[in-house]
Amino acid sequence: MEDYGVVVTGVSGRMGQMLARQVVAHERLHLCGALERTGHPWVGQDLGLAMGGAALGVMVSDDPLEAFARAHAVIDFTVPAATVAFAELAAQARVVHVIGTTGLSDDDLHKIALAARHSVVVRAGNMSLGVNLLTTVTRQVAAALDADWDIEIVEAHHNQKVDAPSGTALMLGEAAAEGRGVALADVSDRGRDGITGARKRGDIGFHAIRGGDIVGEHEVIFAAAGERIVLKHIASDRTLFARGALKAVLWGQGKGPGEYDMLDVLGLK
């Protein structure tokens, strides 16, 4: 059974360390590179020692091109500017690029799509099986109900999360909008404060909660006169996102260039 080399970017972060540990423990993957930004104190150190454990024999580097040249895949949960740069380099190296970065702009997404002409890109706002099932169900329910049913998406995360709404909330919003046959940009409502007036029929509302160490909670509410349908997913363990990313790495091997998501990986399309 073939073994695949994986590079983890942003390896000092909470998800980066989680991903690195999961790759090291995986029977079909090995950690062949660990990246951090230039000037980070971990650069030049053994990753295992930097994480406070035993040496792993993998040095933290700030040279993505050199690292990608030795890899089969890159797992990237960083920030938009870094992810766009990594996408271009991953395309040059023809390696699978698994992206869990959120907060990407339309311009960022365009650049990633260009990179996907030359390599496999698996990009998802959330890598968990449960959330991707929720996305599928949200699309189906939205398609079955008319605009008399208001749609509200509520998400909660830890107090260190820097973007809102979350990538998962936007993924759910896109699914709801697709079910209704509209563009999310035309119906998204994110700015309620003060005297806003009555809710506009057909809008999809977003609300973000930030506090403590909440891993991730997402709720899609369909509300009509006299009744509500509530779809909810609660993540209590961050490793589920890492496991999904590793599944995407294996799924992407041998696939043709293109941009895919976790619904492709999980066979839900």
Side-chain angles (χ1 to χ4, degrees):
M1 189 176 294
E2 189 168 357
D3 183 73
Y4 300 102
V6 177
V7 173
V8 174
T9 66
V11 76
S12 72
R14 184 164 18 192
M15 271 306 299
Q17 293 186 52
M18 174 74 71
L19 288 161
R21 291 190 177 99
Q22 291 291 313
V23 172
V24 168
H26 199 281
E27 62 182 7
R28 295 187 59 196
L29 303 174
H30 68 273
L31 189 66
C32 67
L35 290 175
E36 260 304 338
R37 65 185 183 278
T38 300
H40 192 281
W42 283 24
V43 173
Q45 293 191 49
D46 181 280
L47 176 61
L49 297 177
M51 292 194 300
L56 291 173
V58 178
M59 305 302 288
V60 180
S61 169
D62 60 0
D63 185 352
L65 190 58
E66 187 274 335
F68 291 4
R70 296 182 281 104
H72 295 92
V74 178
I75 306 179
D76 177 19
F77 284 65
T78 54
V79 296
T83 291
V84 169
F86 291 143
E88 295 172 358
L89 296 175
Q92 292 176 31
R94 301 298 194 268
V95 298
V96 174
H97 189 188
V98 177
I99 299 174
T101 302
T102 58
L104 296 161
S105 68
D106 288 343
D107 184 58
D108 295 333
L109 295 174
H110 174 68
K111 291 175 180 176
I112 291 170
L114 292 177
R117 294 179 180 179
H118 307 285
S119 64
V120 174
V121 174
V122 180
R123 183 181 64 82
N126 194 298
M127 299 281 175
S128 85
L129 171 60
V131 162
N132 282 276
L133 284 170
L134 176 60
T135 300
T136 301
V137 173
T138 295
R139 183 182 299 107
Q140 293 172 340
V141 174
L145 303 175
D146 63 24
D148 287 338
W149 289 78
D150 300 322
I151 302 176
E152 297 285 308
I153 298 171
V154 183
E155 53 101 342
H157 285 87
H158 55 86
N159 57 21
Q160 299 301 303
K161 187 169 177 60
V162 299
D163 59 310
S166 69
T168 302
L170 293 173
M171 186 168 74
L172 293 166
E174 289 284 1
E178 184 179 329
R180 283 200 166 164
V182 298
L184 181 60
D186 295 336
V187 297
S188 179
D189 183 358
R190 308 186 197 177
R192 294 184 196 147
D193 185 37
I195 308 301
T196 60
R199 189 187 197 284
K200 184 179 176 183
R201 186 176 187 270
D203 275 358
I204 297 174
F206 291 87
H207 311 274
I209 296 167
R210 297 289 177 267
D213 61 355
I214 301 170
V215 173
E217 300 182 8
H218 294 86
E219 188 171 84
V220 184
I221 303 168
F222 296 86
E227 57 183 329
R228 280 178 293 164
I229 299 169
V230 180
L231 309 176
K232 187 168 186 175
H233 178 270
I234 298 174
S236 57
D237 183 352
R238 197 167 273 103
T239 58
L240 68 93
F241 307 126
R243 290 195 298 268
L246 270 55
K247 186 184 289 287
V249 165
L250 292 171
W251 180 88
Q253 302 304 317
K255 295 292 188 299
E259 189 169 2
Y260 306 92
D261 59 26
M262 285 302 290
L263 296 178
D264 294 303
V265 174
L266 298 169
L268 296 174
K269 282 189 172 178

